Amino acid sequence: MDSIEGVDQANGPAPHTLTIRYDAEADRVLIVDQTRLPHDYVEVELKTLADACYAISAMQVRGAPLIGVTAAFGVYLSLRGKEDITARNSVSQTVEALAATRPTAINLRWALTEVEASLARCDSDLAAAALNAALELHAQDIEACALLGEHGAQRLQELWEAKCERAAQAGLSKPERLNILTHCNAGSLATVDWGTALAVIYKAQARGIPLHVWVDETRPRNQGASLTCWELGQRGVAHTLIVDNAGGHLMQQGYVDCCVVGSDRTTLRGDVCNKIGTYLKALAAADNGIPFYVALPVSSIDFTLRDGLVEIPIEEREAEEVSHISGLDDQGIIRRVRLAPTGTVVSNYGFDVTPARLVSGLITERGIIAAHEAALTKLRDSLS
Ligand code: MRU
């Protein structure tokens, strides 16, 4: 894997590049290496299937929609340069290797199934067919996220207008801003572009709604602190970083108007699996009467599962993600330091499930859908 370009974030904004892109002239697949953000903005080339598998499992790319699209390009990289017969014989092993990289986000399997279906329909030049399928998923993801962002922005506009109206009725001055709380990174970095939860915010900002985002740091990997703060900063959205446990207090004090998060897998009955800690935010939101929305493309819905608590495989990652932490020291050097005593037993669940009853609505490219089996069944049936 070659490094293409580095930009020191201390010295200015990064170019707005898609998280993954195909350079057709040079036949190269390029990703932004998210393990280097926010300190370095570096694009690296994925050259082989092993590169694609590594990028997903080491979280150079992460976020449910993005790992799906990366896996699709991984199939292309594996078939590139192979005779059709050899390529055909290697497809199932390739798909297995990519599917094994991360267990929770359904987009990974969904994207691989889409690519496999395209290959099954094709008689010759399998590599070209895999590339076309990957490019199609790439374009679809951008379109879906932009669209769901618009649907969500409409809901934020209604919440903003209601907040202004309440203030006017109470004889108070116009509120300063609409406060949104988000968890992890469900932004453009988690998709090809736009994001899911953050697409809603970007589209609402474009409508002129004064927004402020509370960003959960999202231990252990700190995607909120390092990625969400970075991309909100790049796009000029007012935000404040908080520790993961602060959300409940802020909600009790009236400092949160709405929560918007993403999803790695949502079931037919509307249970939402997302980054560990999401469930506790949903509980606190329900206790305080605060709307809790989940923004997701339809590709994040697993229509084959009903009970998210029982049926969704929850990723468990290395203990070092919890026992250690890394960051930039005062000399500008990235260092990893130990937090817990040597030998401490660690558990590191990556995701949790928020039951449908705590979800105010699912913001999708097909509109805002109730987190109920009837609504999701209707959506499923409209897709076939
Ligand atoms: O472990 P990660 O960083 O891949 O987890 C990402 C999330 O939990 C996101 O909220 C989710 O994938 C939705 S992304 C649009």
Side-chain angles (χ1 to χ4, degrees):
M1 237 181 276
D2 292 339
S3 268
I4 306 294
E5 178 189 1
V7 175
D8 178 356
Q9 281 314 286
N11 292 328
H16 181 79
T17 315
L18 301 177
T19 51
I20 185 165
R21 66 188 174 98
Y22 178 64
D23 173 356
E25 244 169 66
D27 184 22
R28 295 191 309 172
V29 176
L30 299 161
I31 57 160
V32 175
D33 182 352
Q34 298 188 30
T35 61
R36 311 268 302 260
L37 285 170
H39 312 301
D40 275 320
Y41 185 94
V42 177
E43 273 195 314
V44 297
E45 181 180 357
L46 304 182
K47 292 181 173 171
T48 62
L49 170 64
D51 286 349
C53 289
Y54 176 80
I56 298 170
S57 54
M59 295 177 66
Q60 287 181 309
V61 290
R62 27 69 52 203
L66 178 57
I67 63 180
V69 175
T70 306
F73 279 108
V75 178
Y76 165 60
L77 294 174
S78 153
L79 303 189
R80 182 168 63 177
K82 282 186 181 147
E83 295 284 331
D84 273 344
I85 296 197
T86 323
R88 177 86 65 201
N89 290 338
S90 68
V91 170
S92 61
Q93 222 178 341
T94 295
V95 164
E96 230 172 84
L98 286 159
T101 51
R102 293 194 75 189
T104 301
I106 191 60
N107 307 63
L108 181 59
R109 275 156 206 285
W110 173 84
L112 289 168
T113 305
E114 293 284 309
V115 177
E116 271 187 301
S118 299
L119 295 178
R121 287 192 297 269
C122 137
D123 297 328
S124 62
D125 206 347
L126 258 63
L131 176 60
N132 284 338
L135 290 170
E136 204 171 305
L137 295 180
H138 187 268
Q140 267 177 29
D141 189 60
I142 299 175
E143 197 186 331
C145 289
L147 204 52
L148 72 85
E150 285 296 351
H151 292 303
Q154 179 58 33
R155 182 52 51 94
L156 291 194
Q157 188 166 337
E158 290 157 12
L159 289 172
W160 171 240
E161 284 163 7
K163 184 175 183 177
C164 292
E165 179 64 26
R166 278 195 307 276
Q169 279 180 1
L172 301 169
S173 54
K174 191 173 171 173
E176 213 180 298
R177 60 200 191 175
L178 192 72
N179 290 296
I180 315 293
L181 184 140
T182 194
H183 190 68
C184 194
N185 174 264
S188 55
L189 289 167
T191 61
V192 178
D193 201 7
W194 286 110
T196 58
L198 297 193
V200 172
I201 281 156
Y202 299 141
K203 294 288 188 179
Q205 174 172 259
R207 290 179 181 216
I209 302 167
L211 292 173
H212 166 260
V213 183
W214 297 108
V215 181
D216 286 348
E217 62 177 344
T218 319
R219 278 284 287 149
R221 289 186 66 100
N222 296 301
Q223 291 95 326
S226 58
L227 304 178
T228 298
C229 288
W230 180 78
E231 64 166 276
L232 291 175
Q234 292 282 321
R235 298 199 190 211
V237 179
H239 60 280
T240 304
L241 175 64
I242 52 175
V243 296
D244 287 330
N245 293 327
H249 168 71
L250 294 173
M251 291 186 213
Q252 287 173 323
Q253 297 300 315
Y255 296 148
V256 179
D257 298 302
C258 179
C259 299
V260 188
V261 300
S263 172
D264 285 80
R265 197 186 295 219
T266 290
T267 68
L268 183 63
R269 73 175 192 192
D271 294 341
V272 169
C273 183
N274 191 49
K275 182 51 58 191
I276 192 83
T278 302
Y279 168 54
L280 292 177
K281 299 297 135 49
L283 276 178
D287 193 44
N288 289 282
I290 292 165
F292 186 91
Y293 284 101
V294 181
L296 67 159
V298 170
S299 57
S300 297
I301 304 174
D302 185 345
F303 293 105
T304 69
L305 303 186
R306 289 187 72 253
D307 185 341
L309 281 167
V310 173
E311 296 176 280
I312 298 177
I314 301 293
E315 179 177 24
E316 289 184 65
R317 296 185 62 90
E318 313 82 84
E320 285 69 27
E321 288 186 352
V322 178
S323 59
H324 292 66
I325 198 159
S326 61
L328 204 62
D329 74 9
D330 291 344
Q331 279 70 51
I333 297 165
I334 293 175
R335 290 197 195 280
R336 181 170 170 272
V337 295
R338 168 176 280 282
L339 292 171
T342 309
T344 301
V345 177
V346 168
S347 117
N348 185 13
Y349 292 100
F351 299 91
D352 62 24
V353 175
T354 298
R357 69 188 149 79
L358 299 175
V359 176
S360 309
L362 303 169
I363 302 170
T364 77
E365 67 272 35
R366 297 290 189 113
I368 302 183
I369 292 164
H372 292 150
E373 187 154 347
L376 283 153
T377 303
K378 195 167 156 205
L379 171 67
R380 180 197 63 193
D381 295 346
S382 75
L383 299 173
S384 49

